[in-house]
Amino acid sequence: MALYITNNNNISNFDSRFHVLLKSEIKKTVNTYGTIKKLLSDLIERDKFEGNFQESLAFNTSNDYLSLIGIGDKKDLSPEKIFKIGSFITYSIVNSKKNIKSLEIVLPTFFKAKELEKFLMGLFYGHYYFDKYKTKKSNLTDINVSIVLKSINRTNFKKILTKSQNVINGVNFTRLLVNEQPEILTPIKLASYAKNLSKRKNTTCDIFDEKEIKKRGMSGIWNVGKGSSNMPRFIHLVYKSRSKGKKLKKIALIGKGMTYDSGGLSLKPADFMLTMKMDMAGAGCVMGVFEALSLIQPKNIEVHGLIPAAENMPGPDAYRPDDVVVGLSGKSIEVINTDAEGRVILSDAIEYANRLKVDEMIDLATLTGACMVALGSYTAGIFSNSKKQVDKIIQSSISAGEKIWELPLDEELRPSIDSIIADIRNSATTRYGGAITAAMFLQHFVDKSIPWSHIDIAGPAYTESKRNWVAPGATGFGVMTLIDYLKV
Ligand code: BES
Ligand code: MG
Ligand code: ZN
């Protein structure tokens, strides 16, 4: 079930080969294929293969298999595209009936460390399938992969390989958590996964059970969670590496951990409830980052992972529209809609981060359908009180190949979440700008002196559509961006 990747300087006698090439390199590539050169160029002619991005051309001889894979023009290439090409290759093997045990991948000669890293991440990413509940398992076998690329020496190759594998282990851990069915992945189960992470070096984990949550006054989490027989948990992970006398910058990563969002008493219609097991994808992302960190073991960082975990259910004990909730911050929240629950549990986690006196915080949450209306299913929205921080995160998202777009915290919309009987209401008077008013609700709880960004991942965290480079379901969105941001 693993990929074993090595580096080679030269093209060998192949069984299975994927040859990745630019549009401009078709002629040059064909010329390297001595005996089959003529056959190959005829085929290219016949099929009008141009080498466009993700265009492929397969060529079979009696015992060999060759596939040309286009990546388009060099000037249009991006980390996102390179990642997708890598993932496309392994994902197409996972999806095929071919029993490929070893293959060779020829990369464009201009690939340097950055390109190689993104490509390898793609290979590991595509070699994933959540088939736990399938009687017929997917074609996820061990594969030996030989990468042909001269420009990188062995030591560097090894380093890049290890890094990419560690990062994607984190991403695929997130996918596993998010794909798991909600009957199994309860707040308690999520907490036990977090506890497991603390067996690793430099990683610790505190779990607050429902008693502790109440005792500490985390009433946001308690009120949202009390409607379910699966009791809520608060998870506090820390990754802290040794450093002699050096004061470390403290960063908090906060993830929404709604293990199921039925909407609560403001129950969702059937069609909207489906897939709501993914409402803990923010938490999943934070845990994926910790998985990656604990494998990479970077020095001189201190990261706090804060996860409010609960299940939003209707029932005799459920919180109600009209309730007023006073959480850890002491600020009162008028409950308008129990389906706007993410912001209620996050308010406690944000106040907890304030009290930790962190130097910066980033929260990730599948917070609003409105964000998907604004940006579509593949792009996350980001909101921030710090220009410097948000610019850095967006830069990281570009290097990581994940799409994040900034949306405004619009003061003109702020009155729509003013409440008559409490300090703030959990759902605005208008549905226009729903992603923004949700973000501004969170902002109400953030200590103004702390740089903070909120990333709404409702769209990109989960994909129902069939694409040729990624398995449907959880995507692990955000892990690669955050790892890049942490500069580990
Ligand atoms: N978990 C949902 C948001 C969501 C919707 C995530 C679709 C992924 C896909 C969230 O808790 C929610 O229900 N939000 C409401 C807020 C509204 C009641 C103010 C929404 O977006 O409709
Ligand atoms: Mg430990
Ligand atoms: Zn909801």
Side-chain angles (χ1 to χ4, degrees):
M1 293 259 299
L3 295 183
Y4 300 96
I5 300 182
T6 53
N7 180 213
N8 265 314
N9 276 338
N10 295 301
I11 294 184
S12 65
N13 278 333
F14 62 97
D15 295 329
S16 306
R17 176 182 305 149
F18 289 82
H19 201 132
V20 179
L21 75 175
L22 289 166
K23 262 183 110 151
S24 57
E25 290 177 331
I26 298 183
K27 261 225 175 73
K28 188 183 104 187
T29 305
V30 171
N31 282 330
T32 60
Y33 284 92
T35 52
I36 57 168
K37 197 163 122 182
K38 178 78 174 75
L39 283 168
L40 201 51
S41 58
D42 286 351
L43 193 59
I44 287 170
E45 182 97 5
R46 195 196 75 193
D47 287 10
K48 306 208 169 11
F49 176 77
E50 290 184 324
N52 291 317
F53 176 65
Q54 270 186 359
E55 190 187 356
S56 66
L57 180 87
F59 178 86
N60 284 288
T61 65
S62 48
N63 35 25
D64 291 338
Y65 171 81
L66 171 67
S67 178
L68 302 184
I69 309 218
I71 52 171
D73 289 318
K74 194 168 170 180
K75 64 167 181 14
D76 299 328
L77 214 52
S78 62
E80 180 196 345
K81 282 186 171 173
I82 293 172
F83 179 73
K84 284 179 175 169
I85 287 293
S87 188
F88 169 76
I89 291 175
T90 41
Y91 187 60
S92 63
I93 294 173
V94 173
N95 265 342
S96 78
K97 301 199 168 57
K98 287 198 196 68
N99 188 17
I100 296 180
K101 290 237 160 30
S102 67
L103 63 102
E104 186 170 83
I105 300 173
V106 184
L107 291 180
T109 46
F110 72 87
F111 268 30
K112 300 276 175 328
K114 275 265 164 288
E115 289 81 14
L116 178 68
E117 180 180 284
K118 215 58 240 181
F119 181 80
L120 293 177
M121 285 189 190
L123 287 184
F124 287 117
Y125 186 79
H127 195 245
Y128 172 91
Y129 218 94
F130 187 73
D131 56 8
K132 181 174 169 186
Y133 298 108
K134 286 273 198 191
T135 26
K136 191 174 178 305
K137 300 296 177 199
S138 62
N139 190 10
L140 256 192
T141 48
D142 285 345
I143 311 174
N144 291 307
V145 184
S146 159
I147 305 276
V148 180
L149 180 65
K150 283 186 191 154
S151 58
I152 288 170
N153 71 40
R154 287 212 178 225
T155 335
N156 273 340
F157 187 90
K158 199 93 206 46
K159 250 204 218 143
I160 295 165
L161 178 65
T162 308
K163 167 82 182 292
S164 354
Q165 185 158 26
N166 286 337
V167 173
I168 302 303
N169 276 336
V171 175
N172 286 345
F173 180 52
T174 305
R175 293 165 94 184
L176 171 97
L177 295 171
V178 176
N179 279 328
E180 185 54 277
Q181 55 154 322
E183 165 69 13
I184 301 286
L185 198 99
T186 60
I188 291 177
K189 184 74 173 191
L190 193 66
S192 76
Y193 273 111
K195 199 80 205 169
N196 242 329
L197 282 172
S198 69
K199 289 179 187 155
R200 306 257 178 85
K201 200 176 144 198
N202 292 326
T203 311
T204 57
C205 178
D206 273 328
I207 310 284
F208 302 164
D209 64 9
E210 67 271 22
K211 271 211 215 116
E212 184 78 15
I213 286 171
K214 272 186 271 186
K215 199 179 104 197
R216 286 175 179 261
M218 298 173 126
S219 302
I221 302 173
W222 169 243
N223 273 279
V224 171
K226 72 191 169 81
S228 170
S229 52
N230 293 309
M231 285 287 110
R233 291 291 181 270
F234 182 76
I235 302 167
H236 180 186
L237 279 157
V238 185
Y239 177 90
K240 188 176 181 184
S241 58
R242 257 178 294 278
S243 72
K244 291 178 194 90
K246 206 169 156 194
K247 195 175 174 294
L248 294 179
K249 195 174 165 192
K250 265 197 211 177
I251 167 159
L253 302 179
I254 304 173
K256 174 181 176 184
M258 200 55 52
T259 62
Y260 199 69
D261 180 17
S262 69
L265 286 172
S266 314
L267 196 65
K268 284 181 186 293
D271 289 352
F272 289 83
M273 201 183 297
L274 200 63
T275 75
M276 279 304 136
K277 66 171 183 181
M278 59 74 96
D279 212 19
M280 37 58 70
C285 174
V286 171
M287 291 189 32
V289 169
F290 273 79
E291 165 81 11
L293 287 178
S294 66
L295 293 170
I296 299 168
Q297 288 291 321
K299 291 268 177 298
N300 299 327
I301 62 165
E302 179 173 342
V303 186
H304 293 258
L306 307 177
I307 297 172
E311 186 176 42
N312 189 20
M313 294 290 259
D317 295 325
Y319 84 135
R320 320 163 184 78
D322 284 347
D323 280 351
V324 174
V325 174
V326 180
L328 194 61
S329 68
K331 294 171 180 166
S332 57
I333 301 167
E334 180 188 5
V335 179
I336 300 293
N337 187 321
T338 63
D339 198 11
E341 81 300 332
R343 61 199 80 179
V344 178
I345 63 169
L346 286 168
S347 68
D348 280 342
I350 289 170
E351 173 61 15
Y352 189 89
N354 290 339
R355 292 184 188 184
L356 283 175
K357 302 240 174 296
V358 294
D359 297 295
E360 56 175 312
M361 59 174 114
I362 301 171
D363 79 75
L364 298 107
T366 47
L367 205 63
T368 66
C371 198
M372 300 168 74
V373 174
L375 296 171
S377 298
Y378 306 122
T379 302
I382 190 165
F383 308 80
S384 184
N385 66 5
S386 159
K387 172 105 179 71
K388 203 171 142 200
Q389 187 193 43
V390 74
D391 285 350
K392 270 180 70 187
I393 297 173
I394 289 171
Q395 213 39 58
S396 286
S397 80
I398 294 168
S399 308
E402 297 183 311
K403 290 181 282 196
I404 305 186
W405 198 260
E406 188 176 6
L407 295 172
L409 295 161
D410 181 0
E411 281 307 324
E412 207 168 349
L413 289 175
R414 184 58 182 76
S416 70
I417 49 173
D418 284 342
S419 162
I420 292 168
I421 74 156
D423 298 336
I424 196 163
R425 45 189 272 159
N426 81 330
S427 173
T429 49
T430 164
R431 65 192 184 87
Y432 297 120
I436 297 173
T437 47
M440 293 183 89
F441 178 97
L442 298 180
Q443 186 182 23
H444 180 70
F445 296 88
V446 176
D447 182 330
K448 285 185 184 54
S449 68
I450 303 176
W452 153 80
S453 292
H454 155 62
I455 309 180
D456 193 329
I457 59 171
Y462 198 85
T463 171
E464 287 177 273
S465 47
K466 278 211 152 88
R467 288 182 280 172
N468 63 4
W469 62 278
V470 56
T475 59
F477 187 93
V479 176
M480 293 191 295
T481 297
L482 289 175
I483 290 294
D484 185 278
Y485 183 77
L486 294 170
K487 296 281 167 263
V488 300

